[in-house]
Amino acid sequence: MAATTTNLGAGSEDRVMATAQQILKSLNTPKEVREDMLLIFSSFDNRLSNITDLVNENSETTGGRFDAAEKVILRWDSSSSSSNAEASRHSLPWEDSPDEAAEYLSAVDEILQLVVDMSIRSDNKIMDRAETAIQMAMSRLEDEFRLILIRNTVPLDSERLHGSIRRVSLSFAANEGEIGEDFESFGEVDSERGCFHDRGPSFGDDLCVDLINPDAVVELKEIAERMINAGYEKECVQAYSNVRRDALDECLVILGVEKLSIEEVQKMDWKALDEKMKKWVQAVKVTVRVLLNGEKRLCDQIFGGSNSVKEICFNETAKGCVMQLLNFGEAVAIGKRSSEKLFRILDMYDVLADASLEFEMMFTDEYMCTEAKGVLAGLGDAAKGTFLEFENAVKNEASKKPMQNGEIHPLTRYVMNYVKLLVDYCETLNSLLESDEDEANGLQSEDGELETMTPFAKRLLLLISSLESNLEEKSKLYEDGALHCIFLMNNNLYIVQKVKDSELRKLLGDNWVRKRRGSIRQYATSYLRACWTKALYCLKDEGIGGSSNNASKVALKERFKSFNACFEEIYRIQTGWKVPDAQLREELRISISEKVLPAYRSFMGRFGNQLEGGRHAGKYIKYTPDDLENYLLDLFEGTPLVLHHMRRKSS
């Protein structure tokens, strides 16, 4: 081995020197250890004594690298010498001077690498300077990180969002009072007044907005990587979440969501609360679909190198925004229940149910998901309770003021428009009412099809049955039996039409519709019997002296006179009665014509010639059958008429 060493060629020394230098670089050992190693190397061959010079040269190079990097950092430090005071008053011009920004980041990288490589740890003085420089750099980077975030935040463009919204509007006149006020504020929808229930927006799947200027994301990522590598991830997360929290709060303001206490929400009148609830539904959709998805994407881009940091950053950023929305939802859930709130509460329930699923995928913070589920359960209870209270209100509504013309009662209009819109929430109500069917089970004896009905369909059947019972009681307020029947015909037909012409028919079934149509026909028969029996009795043969040849003129005059009086009284009264449905109105007139006109023609054919030609014959035979047929066309129009005026006009 010794011979081999002494016989090395002239270039061998250089090769040994290079090898030793490489070993020194790769070992990165403390100074004392390196000196011991050099002594060992020197003992093999005195030519290796030159390695000591290499160590000194390496130390000098490291020190130079550190000094240069430190100089760049100190140049931008606000606490540095007065000669740099002017520069320190300005933020590092990252966007305007990318070369200087790159130089600063390179200086930070240099010091961090030197510390990691341990090449300056042998010198305590330099290590102290390095730690100070890193602290200065991180403070500057944190400030710059915050400023870039603020400068490049993209304001929420509500007009663009609304342009991406597909609206679904449901017609429903909102209640401005309580249900006990005879339902007078709940008529048909008046589109000109804008009284409708708006389910709010739905978004296209491709809706995506930039929350931060895309050009700034690269700069933010570069700063975040340095701060995380230096162990300053906490400061970086805090700077990011503080700025983005404020930005999300501003977005909620733009969306119309205010920070309100539970007491403030519960003190609102319905009109103001309805607007807040509607905006809340929209805000939750925007927050989940646009803002939180955008924040999640942003955190992935900026902090993608550290899963734990990006999760913490997203949770901290989104928490305040989500909790503000949940607090309003909780205030609504525990607020006073009234029928007009049900649709908005169901809207809130549906949108939060969807959002809760998104939260589970977005948040690693279980607290947020638990809070959302708690508010969701509260809204569900509020919706179910409001619906059940509405049932009781319909059952117990006890207004004693009859409709003057037998028209459709406001209660009927309101309830049927109400339940027609509820069908849109069928799936939600089925899940909410599934465990609350005790009362609905009492309908089992009425309809064998109940076993196949959904929970919501059963509750609807019970609700409409309560409405029908209430209307039956209200019909008793009419002293006129015929008007009693007209009232029930009008209201039951309205109920049937609302069911037949909507999704309600699928829930209640064709058999239900057929039964109600049968009831309407029975009411029509009862009307004819109650109203026209007396008039038809005047046209019978009994009591007028037998055959047409020997009939008593006195009796005939009385019969014609009685019929005329009877018909005129019916005409006077029933032209003021109202049958809104044109088909029902026509069917009633046909039924009356089929009963009255043949009897009148027959009576006149048998006995009319005994009075015609006599004195004052026109006083008794005032109408031809054609006259009667024309007058019947005026019935049920809701406009009282005087018969002789109409006769004079027609002549």
Side-chain angles (χ1 to χ4, degrees):
M1 177 69 73
T4 303
T5 305
T6 57
N7 290 330
L8 290 172
S12 300
E13 181 177 348
D14 293 335
R15 289 196 299 272
V16 171
M17 297 283 284
T19 302
Q21 186 175 13
Q22 185 63 36
I23 292 172
L24 284 172
K25 288 183 177 181
S26 62
L27 291 177
N28 290 322
T29 52
K31 180 178 179 183
E32 294 80 2
V33 177
R34 291 201 304 273
E35 291 175 350
D36 291 340
M37 292 176 66
L38 289 173
L39 289 174
I40 294 172
F41 279 123
S42 298
S43 67
F44 288 106
D45 194 315
N46 59 8
R47 286 173 298 180
L48 297 179
S49 62
N50 290 332
I51 293 178
T52 303
D53 297 332
L54 287 175
V55 173
N56 294 333
E57 181 182 344
N58 183 61
S59 298
E60 291 174 2
T61 301
T62 300
R65 288 165 55 199
F66 174 78
D67 289 342
E70 182 187 43
K71 183 178 180 181
V72 173
I73 291 171
L74 289 174
R75 187 191 312 154
W76 297 100
D77 179 52
S78 59
S79 60
S80 61
S81 62
S82 58
S83 61
N84 293 321
E86 183 65 26
S88 68
R89 282 198 290 269
H90 300 284
S91 171
L92 197 62
W94 298 87
E95 295 159 300
D96 298 333
S97 304
D99 292 339
E100 293 187 37
E103 180 189 27
Y104 192 90
L105 291 176
S106 295
V108 173
D109 289 340
E110 185 72 52
I111 293 178
L112 290 176
Q113 189 61 47
L114 289 172
V115 173
V116 171
D117 291 346
M118 298 179 154
S119 55
I120 61 173
R121 296 204 173 190
S122 60
D123 191 326
N124 292 334
K125 184 177 180 181
I126 294 181
M127 275 302 298
D128 289 342
R129 288 169 58 196
E131 290 175 359
T132 301
I134 290 172
Q135 187 175 3
M136 291 177 183
M138 293 303 110
S139 177
R140 167 59 63 188
L141 289 179
E142 181 182 344
D143 290 342
E144 194 61 37
F145 188 79
R146 185 181 296 105
L147 287 170
I148 292 174
L149 277 172
I150 293 172
R151 288 194 201 106
N152 290 278
T153 293
V154 178
L156 187 66
D157 187 347
S158 59
E159 290 186 6
R160 181 187 170 192
L161 282 175
H162 289 134
S164 302
I165 289 172
R166 297 189 296 267
R167 289 190 175 275
V168 180
S169 298
L170 300 176
S171 297
F172 180 71
N175 183 9
E176 298 176 359
E178 292 301 321
I179 194 170
E181 297 179 1
D182 297 348
F183 292 84
E184 290 178 355
S185 57
F186 301 90
E188 294 285 2
V189 175
D190 184 348
S191 58
E192 293 182 359
R193 289 186 301 145
C195 293
F196 61 90
H197 176 68
D198 184 354
R199 287 211 67 182
S202 61
F203 296 97
D205 294 334
D206 58 345
L207 183 60
C208 180
V209 299
D210 291 322
L211 304 180
I212 293 290
N213 189 329
D215 294 336
V217 173
V218 175
E219 297 170 348
L220 293 168
K221 178 180 173 64
E222 289 179 340
I223 295 176
E225 287 176 348
R226 271 74 178 184
M227 294 187 73
I228 293 172
N229 290 338
Y232 281 74
E233 62 270 11
K234 182 178 179 181
E235 288 78 3
C236 187
V237 167
Q238 185 174 6
Y240 179 90
S241 58
N242 284 345
V243 173
R244 292 306 305 158
R245 258 200 310 263
D246 290 343
L248 290 181
D249 288 344
E250 184 64 29
C251 288
L252 289 185
V253 172
I254 293 172
L255 294 171
V257 177
E258 305 173 44
K259 289 184 178 179
L260 299 168
S261 66
I262 291 177
E263 292 76 14
E264 288 174 322
V265 173
Q266 293 181 343
K267 288 180 180 178
M268 283 186 183
D269 59 61
W270 165 238
K271 186 176 180 180
L273 181 59
D274 178 57
E275 189 64 23
K276 295 293 182 188
M277 294 168 79
K278 182 171 68 174
K279 288 182 177 179
W280 186 91
V281 170
Q282 297 175 2
V284 171
K285 292 181 180 180
V286 173
T287 299
V288 175
R289 293 292 308 279
V290 180
L291 301 181
L292 295 188
N293 270 333
E295 284 297 335
K296 191 74 171 175
R297 187 170 59 253
L298 202 55
C299 286
D300 288 343
Q301 292 172 339
I302 296 174
F303 305 102
S306 173
N307 288 333
S308 61
V309 171
K310 72 180 181 182
E311 288 176 0
I312 293 172
C313 201
F314 175 75
N315 290 339
E316 289 299 312
T317 300
K319 183 185 296 182
C321 171
V322 173
M323 288 305 301
Q324 182 177 339
L325 292 170
L326 292 179
N327 287 340
F328 180 84
E330 181 183 11
V332 170
I334 63 177
K336 183 181 177 182
R337 294 173 183 173
S338 57
S339 60
E340 70 271 16
K341 292 182 182 179
L342 181 56
F343 296 97
R344 289 284 180 232
I345 293 175
L346 287 170
D347 287 339
M348 292 175 69
Y349 180 90
D350 283 344
V351 76
L352 186 56
D354 292 338
S356 295
L357 297 176
E358 297 280 348
F359 290 162
E360 290 181 1
M361 293 185 287
M362 288 182 180
F363 290 103
T364 56
D365 188 346
E366 286 295 326
Y367 174 78
M368 300 295 295
C369 298
T370 301
E371 286 293 300
K373 289 178 181 177
V375 175
L376 180 65
L379 288 171
D381 289 341
K384 183 171 68 173
T386 301
F387 181 70
L388 298 179
E389 285 189 13
F390 174 66
E391 285 183 348
N392 292 329
V394 172
K395 185 186 301 182
N396 299 321
E397 202 279 328
S399 58
K400 298 297 182 182
K401 182 181 178 182
M403 303 301 293
Q404 292 299 318
N405 51 11
E407 202 179 350
I408 301 163
H409 198 280
L411 174 66
T412 309
R413 294 183 184 277
Y414 173 66
V415 172
M416 294 312 299
N417 282 316
Y418 196 93
V419 298
K420 183 178 176 182
L421 296 181
L422 280 179
V423 176
D424 198 58
Y425 302 90
C426 184
E427 185 177 344
T428 301
L429 286 167
N430 274 328
S431 65
L432 293 175
L433 298 170
E434 191 170 12
S435 60
D436 196 73
E437 296 189 67
D438 293 341
E439 191 172 356
N441 287 336
L443 294 169
Q444 191 70 41
S445 59
E446 179 184 315
D447 196 332
E449 296 177 353
L450 279 173
E451 293 181 2
T452 61
M453 280 187 168
T454 63
F456 176 51
K458 291 179 181 179
R459 301 305 304 191
L460 281 181
L461 189 59
L462 181 66
L463 176 62
I464 295 176
S465 295
S466 297
L467 172 61
E468 290 170 332
S469 297
N470 196 320
L471 292 172
E472 185 67 40
E473 287 299 313
K474 293 185 187 304
S475 71
K476 296 175 182 178
L477 298 173
Y478 297 104
E479 296 180 1
D480 190 321
L483 185 55
H484 163 99
C485 295
I486 292 293
F487 173 79
L488 289 176
M489 268 191 290
N490 281 333
N491 284 270
N492 279 273
L493 179 62
Y494 185 87
I495 293 171
V496 169
Q497 287 176 330
K498 286 293 182 180
V499 171
K500 182 175 66 71
D501 298 336
S502 70
E503 293 297 311
L504 289 169
R505 184 168 192 164
K506 293 180 182 179
L507 295 174
L508 299 180
D510 291 336
N511 189 45
W512 184 93
V513 174
R514 282 193 295 271
K515 284 184 177 180
R516 268 56 188 184
R517 285 196 174 280
S519 297
I520 294 170
R521 286 192 294 270
Q522 290 176 2
Y523 290 132
T525 301
S526 298
Y527 159 78
L528 292 172
R529 187 166 50 246
C531 179
W532 293 96
T533 298
K534 184 178 178 182
L536 290 172
Y537 178 77
C538 297
L539 303 177
K540 291 185 177 295
D541 294 348
E542 293 88 346
I544 58 173
S547 67
S548 58
N549 294 327
N550 59 8
S552 168
K553 287 189 177 182
V554 174
L556 284 176
K557 290 179 180 180
E558 283 300 316
R559 287 297 181 87
F560 276 107
K561 187 176 179 181
S562 296
F563 175 83
N564 294 338
C566 224
F567 182 83
E568 290 169 4
E569 180 68 9
I570 291 172
Y571 182 91
R572 181 184 64 80
I573 294 173
Q574 296 192 19
T575 51
W577 292 359
K578 183 77 171 177
V579 177
D581 184 76
Q583 184 176 343
L584 177 60
R585 190 165 61 244
E586 182 63 20
E587 288 175 356
L588 282 173
R589 290 167 177 169
I590 291 173
S591 297
I592 296 169
S593 297
E594 290 175 347
K595 290 281 186 182
V596 176
L597 295 184
Y600 189 72
R601 284 193 180 98
S602 176
F603 191 80
M604 281 196 65
R606 295 196 309 274
F607 305 110
N609 58 352
Q610 296 187 37
L611 294 181
E612 288 179 352
R615 293 181 62 188
H616 310 298
K619 179 179 178 182
Y620 303 103
I621 305 177
K622 296 172 65 174
Y623 311 109
T624 67
D626 290 341
D627 289 335
L628 295 183
E629 188 171 11
N630 288 330
Y631 291 140
L632 290 178
L633 297 177
D634 295 332
L635 300 184
F636 315 123
E637 292 288 349
T639 305
L641 299 171
V642 180
L643 188 70
H644 69 273
H645 287 169
M646 293 300 296
R647 180 173 176 80
R648 194 177 300 152
K649 181 178 178 182
S650 64
S651 61

